[in-house]
Amino acid sequence: MIRDTDTLNALLDAVTRFVRERLVPAEHLVAETDQIPDDIVREMKQMGLFGLTIPEEYGGLALTMEEEVLVMLQMSQTSPCFRSLFGTTVGIGSQGILMDGTEEQKAKYLPRLATGELIASFALTEPDAGSDAASLRTSAIRDGDHYVVNGTKRYITNAPEAGLFTLMARTNPQNKGAGGVSAFIVERNTPGITIGRIDKKMGQRGAHTADVIFENCRVPASQLIGNKEGHGFKTAMKVLEKGRIHIAAICVGVAERMLRDALRYAIERKQFGKPIAEFQLVQALLADSQAELYAARCMVIDAARKRDAGVDVSTEASCCKMFASEMCGRVADRAVQVFGGAGYLEEYGIERFYRDVRLFRLYEGTTQIQQIVIARNMVRDAGA
Ligand code: COS
């Protein structure tokens, strides 16, 4: 749903300009230094990017899912690490508070998240609990008016930058499944939290992940999201469902950028006396990418519109995440192929995208997890 076309277009123009004039020129530097420059972070905050999805009464822009998707399609026409810096705050880090938090929790945290003063991270994954998220072992045991948290969270995006964590931990040790899990808002400066060293990753330099270690960390009981024990896994699933449409939009945007770069190269590069874009085998690489991109774009917008209309989009969100991330991987591979030897060299940038986009098929639910969600829903809907 688009609420006001003029307002949205103004935002889209601003994001498009920001990407073209500020982010694209900084891509190499960020990849080299593994750091997004402070002035860019400041500009992101000024533009309201940290508050895109936060309701207006808490200082955000309150974008609908369709609006969010359209903004992300523009935002991701550059290295995905830029989006990652505010992506956890507008997405998986804040949405648990927004969806299931109490009024007090929303009033306390959402305004500071909207301005970017606080960066939010989503702490679900553990060394032994990835795809099987319900098996997490981090414990939060009630002790008076606190919970004592112990455990390790792994691959936590923006952990080094985070001001707060949406933490999933087991409050009921007797219940080893999803029902024993609760969600908390944990401030970074709570004693007993250590951030591990920044992970060395295949790509997405500039976006940081690390372990978050909780050792006898006393979290006030008032930080339990919604003041409700045993609801944390469902909160996480709802948050991830929305996140999957967001990530699918990112996949489409990055794929568009890679295809545009590949097309430009194919037009400029001459072999056998003419541009390689005139050779049919190269054209096939371009055309297959264009068709798949079109399909993914349509899927993402359709799923976003359905979600805005209040439809249950569990299946659509997983279809989008699976198809768009796999499509993005294929487009990356073809783009490198179009570039030929140059595609393997750092200076042309396409190999960096090739590495960056590999993550999309893994995080916020692997392709295989999306397949499980889709097929389970199909069986359920068939009344089996
Ligand atoms: N919205 C609301 N509730 C949901 C839900 C959703 N999208 N998905 C599941 N639930 C609920 C279920 O209805 C069930 O509730 P009841 O017990 O009341 O029926 C509960 O959550 C447990 O669901 P389920 O039985 O399906 O849990 P499983 O342990 O079988 O796991 C998968 C389901 C595999 C889908 C889940 O573990 C998953 O998504 N794993 C991937 C995690 C992930 O994406 N990690 C990425 C890292 S975080 S960036």
Side-chain angles (χ1 to χ4, degrees), residues 37 48 50 97 125 134 149 151 159 170 254 265 304 313 379:
F50 286 83
I97 305 174
T125 301
V149 179
R170 190 168 302 283
V254 184
Y265 187 83
V313 289
V379 172

Side-chain angles (χ1 to χ4, degrees), residues 25-77:
E27 286 172 358
H28 275 293
L29 176 73
V30 171
E32 253 171 57
T33 58
D34 196 20
Q35 201 65 43
I36 300 176
D38 289 344
D39 54 338
I40 289 184
V41 178
R42 243 189 332 269
E43 283 175 64
M44 285 176 169
K45 290 180 182 173
Q46 282 160 4
M47 288 175 73
L49 295 181
F50 286 83
L52 290 176
T53 56
I54 291 174
E56 279 161 336
E57 66 260 41
Y58 301 112
L61 297 179
L63 297 191
T64 63
M65 191 79 236
E66 185 177 357
E67 292 167 345
E68 179 182 340
V69 154
L70 293 173
V71 170
M72 288 308 135
L73 289 170
Q74 291 309 314
M75 187 63 219
S76 55
Q77 308 267 334

Side-chain angles (χ1 to χ4, degrees), residues 144-192:
D145 54 4
H146 283 75
Y147 285 86
V148 182
V149 179
N150 280 288
T152 297
K153 294 293 176 178
R154 182 142 293 172
Y155 315 133
I156 304 305
T157 303
N158 287 330
E161 291 80 14
L164 70 81
F165 297 97
T166 297
L167 169 75
M168 267 55 66
R170 190 168 302 283
T171 42
N172 181 355
Q174 270 73 54
N175 185 338
K176 307 270 182 231
V181 176
S182 302
F184 295 88
I185 307 163
V186 182
E187 296 187 7
R188 163 67 185 97
N189 56 13
T190 316

Side-chain angles (χ1 to χ4, degrees), residues 1-12 61-71 73 297 301 304-309:
M1 180 180 59
I2 291 172
R3 295 162 305 161
D4 179 70
T5 314
D6 291 344
T7 313
L8 179 66
N9 284 343
L11 177 62
L12 290 173
L61 297 179
L63 297 191
T64 63
M65 191 79 236
E66 185 177 357
E67 292 167 345
E68 179 182 340
V69 154
L70 293 173
V71 170
L73 289 170
R297 184 179 250 272
I301 291 173
R305 284 182 182 156
K306 283 191 173 134
R307 190 176 187 281
D308 285 337

